[in-house]
């Protein structure tokens, strides 16, 4: 029987679902449209007229390869996604159309702004924390016991970024390379990357695309990560398995995503100077000297691009404004990491969300100080700070990593670290006269407005939970103060002290690999307190984020 001809109920049943929650009222078409209105539509148009014809052909192939990442990510999120999508696509009713739109927005049947609740479809289980990286029916404890019994080399493969864990014929577990698990899709993506490589005249871009195509079939991503770090081309693609947020068990398995961008030369040139400041920032971090890196990787490239297209893990719910990759600790140790700023995405977020939000959440004096430059620059510094502080550590004589030791607490704590240490770094540069003095007044108000923006993503998501931790720390320090009218005011002197103390707290936990301390901190502080909820309730009519429409990409692939 053709799967596309099955009913929604049948499609769900073939997905081997665990028992669903008790029956509850489901939202109707109007409810789903209201939920979708939380995302402000934005047309992303790019002027490609200055690019040679070959680069435009390469971009078209890259967009097609990125669309393959979309299909792969759906599979990684949940085994039931593909049959469910086929069933939803057959429902032509207004309710069916609204459900399909919600599914595509969230890359699955769970509202990512509502802690992953199965909010809009019948018969759907809770979002599986293990996603589709581990065997159906297995528990986290089952997998941990299996991992504990493996030899070091086998354990490294099983816990690596680029393998799934599946049932072996004997009922045990086995690590399966992505190149085998996703063989068909990756073969097609590799073919498209090779076509893009043949079209471009840029040698660096060609080298990366050919290396990444080879990685898709070999499962060895090291050479292509090196080529991506060295890439400095007008066409700027990021494509492959990268972030580990979907793996709620171990934060170990990389999800497929793609950002296809075009470099903004003027903005990139302006921001390159920050790379030279990283060692100086590392040297003065408020942590024990033994936790600092006396010699950061030699490369810390910064690129400002305008986004042409995004897909997979890069295109669900809240949109990425910048990213810091790769996550492979070998590359970070040897070369540093690359920071990519998505300028047109950030401009849209600032205009559509941050400015109206500041008008309701901040005191009159503070809201007047909100500006795009500190918003853009702090996002940059957030990405830079991901590469600073503890990464490779020693715990009880074992060489290990912060990611491995902190497990499921890693992502939220790391996002909070990058935020607050980013403020610490910007304060240092201001004190040294290396930034425009106008940012003295605009930095903290803009950060606070952005903090309320981020916590609206929900504390079930790493960025939102990390932001809740920061807001509560600042509240306890009286660095931000609720006012009788429901807005918040900033105490600049206390803010500076609180930024230092929270940076120290988080990085010390990371440097010790202390998962128990990380868990306790997040359980206590990673929550929405009443005074914060009161502000969030007032923001209900302001969009939470943007919904990009990739107009130029559509025109490019149609042509």
């Amino acid at each position: 029987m053709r799967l596309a001809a099955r009913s929604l109920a049948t499609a769900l049943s073939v997905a081997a679902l665990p028992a669903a929650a008790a029956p509850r009222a489901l939202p109707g078409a109007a409810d789903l449209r209201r939920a979708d209105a939380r995302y402000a539509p934005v047309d992303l148009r790019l002027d490609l007229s200055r690019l040679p014809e070959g680069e435009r052909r390469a971009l078209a192939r890259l967009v097609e390869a990125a669309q393959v990442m979309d299909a792969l990510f759906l599979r990684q999120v949940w085994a039931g996604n593909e049959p469910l999508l086929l069933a939803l696509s057959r429902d032509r009713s207004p309710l069916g159309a609204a459900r399909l739109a919600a599914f595509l927005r969230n890359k699955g049947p769970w509202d990512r702004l509502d802690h992953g609740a199965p909010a809009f479809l019948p018969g759907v289980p809770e979002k599986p924390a293990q996603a589709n990286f581990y065997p159906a029916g297995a528990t986290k404890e089952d997998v941990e016991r299996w991992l504990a019994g493996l030899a070091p080399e086998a354990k490294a493969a099983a816990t690596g970024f680029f393998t799934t864990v599946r049932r072996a014929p004997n009922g045990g577990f086995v690590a399966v390379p992505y190149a085998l698990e996703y063989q068909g899709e990756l073969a097609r993506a590799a073919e498209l990357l090779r076509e893009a490589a043949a079209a471009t005249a840029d040698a660096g871009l060609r080298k990366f695309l050919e290396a990444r195509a080879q990685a898709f079939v070999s499962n060895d991503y090291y050479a292509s990560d090196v080529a991506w770090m060295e890439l400095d081309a007008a066409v700027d693609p990021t494509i492959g398995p990268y972030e580990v947020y979907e793996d709620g068990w171990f934060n170990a398995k990389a999800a497929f995503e793609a950002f296809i961008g075009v470099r903004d030369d003027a903005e990139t040139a302006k921001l390159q100077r920050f790379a030279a400041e990283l060692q100086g920032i590392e040297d003065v971090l408020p942590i024990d000297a033994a936790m600092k890196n006396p010699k950061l990787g030699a490369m810390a490239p910064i690129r400002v691009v305008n986004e042409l297209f995004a897909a997979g893990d890069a295109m669900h719910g809240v949109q990425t404004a910048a990213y810091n990759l790769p996550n492979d600790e070998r590359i970070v140790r040897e070369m540093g990491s690359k920071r990519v700023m998505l300028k047109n995405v950030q401009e849209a977020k600032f205009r559509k969300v941050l400015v109206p939000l500041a008008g309701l959440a901040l005191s009159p004096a503070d809201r007047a100080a909100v500006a795009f430059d500190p918003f853009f620059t702090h996002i940059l510094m957030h990405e830079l700070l991901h590469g600073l502080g503890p990464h490779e550590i020693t715990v009880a004589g074992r060489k290990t990593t912060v990611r491995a030791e902190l497990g499921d607490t890693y992502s939220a704590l790391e996002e909070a670290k990058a935020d607050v240490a980013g403020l610490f770094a910007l304060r240092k540069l201001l004190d040294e006269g290396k930034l425009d003095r106008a940012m003295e007044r605009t930095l903290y108000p803009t950060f606070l407005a952005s903090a309320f923006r981020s916590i609206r993503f929900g504390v079930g998501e790493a960025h939102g939970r990390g932001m809740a931790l920061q807001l509560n720390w600042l509240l306890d320090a009286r660095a931000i103060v609720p006012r009788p009218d429901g807005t918040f005011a900033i105490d600049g002197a206390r803010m500076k002290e609180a930024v230092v103390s929270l940076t120290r707290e988080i990085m010390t936990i990371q440097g010790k690999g202390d998962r128990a301390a990380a868990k306790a901190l997040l359980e206590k502080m990673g929550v929405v307190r009443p005074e914060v909820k009161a502000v969030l309730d007032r923001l209900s009519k302001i969009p939470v984020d943007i919904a990009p429409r990739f107009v130029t990409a559509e025109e490019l692939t149609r042509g």
Side-chain angles (χ1 to χ4, degrees):
M1 180 185 294
R2 294 176 64 117
L3 184 58
R6 295 174 178 168
S7 69
L8 175 58
T10 304
L12 282 167
S13 70
V14 300
L17 303 180
R24 57 187 173 78
L26 292 170
D31 300 314
L32 290 171
R33 285 192 293 269
R34 280 192 293 272
D36 198 51
R38 295 174 296 176
Y39 300 93
V42 175
D43 288 348
L44 293 188
R45 299 179 184 274
L46 277 68
D47 180 3
L48 304 181
S49 61
R50 295 184 180 181
L51 289 179
E53 175 61 27
E55 305 311 295
R56 293 198 294 273
R57 287 201 309 273
L59 276 173
R61 299 291 81 75
L62 286 169
V63 170
E64 292 179 38
Q67 290 168 338
V68 178
M69 301 300 106
D70 242 5
L72 284 171
F73 182 65
L74 277 175
R75 284 182 61 190
Q76 289 183 306
V77 170
W78 181 44
N81 264 344
E82 288 180 302
L84 182 54
L85 174 59
L86 289 171
L88 287 170
S89 67
R90 291 179 54 81
D91 187 343
R92 308 297 184 185
S93 69
L95 177 58
R99 284 175 166 174
L100 177 60
F103 177 93
L104 294 174
R105 171 86 62 219
N106 292 284
K107 291 295 192 293
W110 305 279
D111 190 329
R112 290 179 181 264
L113 286 179
D114 190 21
H115 311 291
F120 52 86
L121 288 172
V124 173
E126 293 295 323
K127 188 175 186 296
Q130 71 274 30
N132 190 24
F133 297 118
Y134 303 96
T139 67
K140 183 180 179 182
E141 292 71 26
D142 292 336
V143 176
E144 286 175 329
R145 281 192 294 272
W146 171 66
L147 291 172
L150 295 177
E153 187 174 340
K155 184 175 182 180
T159 59
F161 290 123
F162 313 124
T163 59
T164 59
V165 176
R166 298 295 180 231
R167 289 283 181 189
N170 65 2
F173 298 145
V174 62
V176 179
Y178 280 8
L180 181 59
E181 177 86 13
Y182 310 116
Q183 185 174 28
E185 293 93 338
L186 289 178
R188 174 58 179 158
E191 179 183 16
L192 289 165
L193 293 189
R194 293 190 184 101
E195 290 177 11
T200 180
D202 189 289
L205 178 59
R206 187 183 310 115
K207 178 181 178 181
F208 165 66
L209 294 176
E210 289 174 347
R212 184 47 50 109
Q214 179 60 28
F216 282 162
V217 297
S218 71
N219 218 57
D220 184 351
Y221 285 83
Y222 180 83
S224 60
D225 277 343
V226 171
W228 183 77
M229 286 290 296
E230 296 171 341
L231 177 64
D232 190 10
V235 172
D236 196 299
T238 302
I239 183 166
Y242 285 106
E243 303 289 8
V244 297
Y245 302 121
E246 285 298 313
D247 178 2
W249 275 3
F250 302 107
N251 277 185
K253 303 304 179 185
F256 284 95
E257 65 181 348
F259 298 93
I260 310 302
V262 177
R263 186 180 60 200
D264 186 317
D265 292 333
E267 290 295 336
T268 294
K270 282 198 295 185
L271 292 183
Q272 287 291 353
R273 71 184 191 276
F274 284 109
E277 302 293 339
L278 294 183
Q279 189 66 62
I281 295 168
E282 176 83 15
D283 292 344
V284 298
L285 289 173
I287 54 176
D288 189 280
M291 296 181 180
K292 299 177 186 179
N293 189 342
K295 188 177 181 180
L296 294 172
M299 294 178 63
I302 302 170
R303 302 285 182 263
V304 181
V305 308
N306 287 306
E307 186 176 276
L308 175 77
F309 190 75
D313 198 19
M315 187 56 192
H316 61 74
V318 174
Q319 298 299 296
T320 299
Y323 52 94
N324 172 68
L325 294 171
N327 286 324
D328 187 332
E329 283 87 359
R330 295 175 301 169
I331 303 289
V332 174
R333 180 178 64 251
E334 297 165 9
M335 305 181 71
S337 54
K338 184 191 291 187
R339 287 80 178 177
V340 181
M341 308 283 286
L342 304 173
K343 188 183 179 189
N344 56 345
V345 172
Q346 293 182 28
E347 288 173 333
K349 287 173 179 276
F350 183 81
R351 184 177 70 254
K352 294 285 189 177
V353 180
L354 202 75
V355 171
L357 181 154
L360 292 178
L362 273 58
S363 69
D366 288 321
R367 77 180 63 136
V370 171
F372 180 71
D373 184 51
F375 177 68
F376 180 77
T377 307
H378 181 256
I379 292 174
L380 167 67
M381 201 56 72
H382 171 107
E383 299 305 326
L384 290 172
L385 264 293
H386 275 307
L388 273 59
H391 287 278
E392 293 184 324
I393 59 177
T394 301
V395 177
R398 294 180 294 110
K399 289 192 177 299
T400 180
T401 65
V402 174
R403 184 189 306 275
E405 295 305 307
L406 296 192
D408 58 356
T409 68
Y410 171 80
S411 291
L413 208 64
E414 176 63 20
E415 293 304 327
K417 178 206 88 171
D419 268 340
V420 70
L423 286 179
F424 172 86
L426 290 175
R427 183 70 255 178
K428 173 186 182 292
L429 297 180
L430 279 168
D431 290 343
E432 295 172 350
K434 295 177 179 177
L435 290 174
D436 187 339
R437 284 291 179 186
M439 202 180 289
E440 292 261 11
R441 179 70 189 96
T442 60
L443 177 60
Y444 292 148
T446 305
F447 168 77
L448 183 56
S450 188
F452 285 121
R453 178 186 70 91
S454 295
I455 201 170
R456 296 176 79 201
F457 305 162
V459 295
E461 185 270 346
H463 298 78
R465 196 176 189 197
M467 188 53 74
L469 161 60
Q470 294 170 78
L471 281 173
N472 291 331
W473 190 279
L474 297 175
L475 282 166
D476 289 347
R478 301 290 291 169
I480 58 174
V481 183
R483 288 159 39 93
D485 65 357
T487 63
F488 281 75
I490 295 168
D491 183 316
R494 287 179 173 173
M495 189 81 170
K496 185 176 180 180
E497 294 172 357
V499 163
V500 171
S501 65
L502 182 54
T503 299
R504 179 184 300 112
E505 179 77 9
I506 292 175
M507 286 195 178
T508 299
I509 289 172
Q510 291 181 321
K512 293 180 178 179
D514 191 342
R515 184 179 178 277
K519 187 172 185 291
L521 183 65
L522 288 169
E523 286 180 350
K524 178 183 177 183
M525 307 290 271
V527 297
V528 178
R529 291 184 182 172
E531 57 266 51
V532 173
K533 186 178 185 305
V535 171
L536 298 182
D537 289 343
R538 298 173 62 207
L539 306 177
S540 59
K541 293 187 178 180
I542 294 174
V544 172
D545 200 53
I546 60 170
R549 296 186 292 219
F550 300 114
V551 178
T552 302
E554 290 174 5
E555 294 169 351
L556 194 64
T557 51
R558 280 202 306 266

